[in-house]
Amino acid sequence: MDILVGIASFITGAVIYSFLNTVIYRLPEKKAVIGKGCVCSTCGHDLHMKDRIPILSWCFLRGKCRYCNEKIPARNVFIELLGGVTAVLLNRQFGIGLHAATMFLFFAVMTVITFIDIDTMEIPPVLNVCIFLTGIASIWTVGGISIADRFIGMFAISVPLCVLALFGGFGGGDVKLMFAAGFLLGWKITVAGFFIGIMIGGVYAGYLLIKKLKGMKAQVAFGPFLCLGLAIAVFAGEKIIDLYISFLGF
């Protein structure tokens, strides 16, 4: 039964994240993300259902469009795989229910934020609004986070980031992301996620400097690192914070 649930979770996650590929490409261009059929981004040919089966279509077509033979970005299938794995991990962590569904929605929005920020260096405001609305819904679907923890989470990271943003350290989208995520996750997970993201981002920035791929003044999208940090913190953030507080002797 666990295997069947895992398979069903993986398929569901992959299908939903396949749709997110469309959102990632269309939202920055202010195109409708629903109500229009899928087309090849190169030749514009309508894609039939057999061309849009998550993961499998890309494999069967050997990563190329059936109609123009142009390569289909490998990122598309990576996102679909990510959706399947995310669904399985969240179900294992929280069980099948509203808690896991809420977190899956949060991860889905963060995935869209990540790749749009990589492509455009911007986070569309509507995505942060979606996270905040998910946070409101989570009052009833996710237990264990008090209203006080949520309000502290809203400001614990976003206020310092807002100050840094005045000096060009972070973008406004990053500030709003942490504000919305703080209400959804509470202060412990948000703080842990921020520092995990900072560490990963710092390592990446150091790598770019060492390899001379970026200069000291070059801009790097930080939203993806914040999202990755928050994703990790959903699974282990509270334990990390509790261990740190215990280590300090409080």
Side-chain angles (χ1 to χ4, degrees):
M1 183 61 70
D2 288 343
I3 294 175
L4 291 177
V5 170
I7 292 173
S9 298
F10 184 89
I11 293 173
T12 301
V15 169
I16 293 173
Y17 271 53
S18 180
F19 169 71
L20 294 188
N21 274 318
T22 301
V23 177
I24 290 167
Y25 287 115
R26 292 184 179 179
L27 186 60
E29 298 179 358
K30 295 181 172 56
K31 295 180 179 179
V33 297
I34 56 175
K36 286 189 175 183
C38 292
V39 299
C40 172
S41 58
T42 301
C43 66
H45 197 287
D46 290 334
L47 300 179
H48 300 294
M49 185 61 69
K50 62 183 178 181
D51 303 317
R52 295 186 282 130
I53 302 172
I55 302 171
L56 295 180
S57 289
W58 189 88
C59 294
F60 290 148
L61 294 172
R62 298 182 180 180
K64 295 182 180 180
C65 173
R66 183 190 302 275
Y67 309 100
C68 67
N69 211 37
E70 284 294 319
K71 287 186 177 180
I72 301 170
R75 190 176 86 171
N76 291 8
V77 74
F78 169 77
I79 291 174
E80 292 167 352
L81 283 167
L82 179 63
V85 172
T86 298
V88 172
L89 291 177
L90 289 173
N91 279 341
R92 288 184 63 85
Q93 179 78 5
F94 303 112
I96 298 176
L98 292 176
H99 191 158
T102 302
M103 288 298 107
F104 182 80
L105 178 58
F106 174 52
F107 275 58
V109 178
M110 286 201 299
T111 300
V112 177
I113 287 174
T114 293
F115 289 100
I116 288 181
D117 200 13
I118 290 171
D119 292 341
T120 68
M121 296 290 289
E122 293 182 357
I123 300 176
V126 66
L127 297 176
N128 288 326
V129 171
C130 288
I131 291 178
F132 188 74
L133 293 176
T134 304
I136 294 175
S138 73
I139 295 173
W140 295 276
T141 62
V142 177
I145 306 174
S146 68
I147 294 297
D149 284 345
R150 292 178 185 273
F151 275 101
I152 294 172
M154 288 168 64
F155 301 105
I157 298 300
S158 63
V159 169
L161 280 191
C162 187
V163 175
L164 291 173
L166 297 176
F167 301 95
F170 292 90
D174 299 329
V175 177
K176 295 169 187 174
L177 167 62
M178 298 309 294
F179 179 87
F183 186 76
L184 169 60
L185 302 173
W187 74 268
K188 285 186 177 181
I189 295 177
T190 304
V191 170
F194 173 72
F195 283 105
I196 293 171
I198 283 285
M199 288 189 291
I200 297 174
V203 171
Y204 179 72
Y207 167 78
L208 293 180
L209 287 174
I210 292 172
K211 293 293 185 179
K212 297 182 180 180
L213 299 177
K214 294 279 187 178
M216 289 292 292
K217 296 183 179 180
Q219 289 186 329
V220 176
F222 207 78
F225 299 108
L226 293 177
C227 289
L228 179 57
L230 289 170
I232 294 172
V234 165
F235 295 99
E238 287 200 32
K239 292 181 180 178
I240 292 172
I241 292 296
D242 288 340
L243 285 172
Y244 182 69
I245 292 174
S246 176
F247 175 76
L248 293 178
F250 294 116

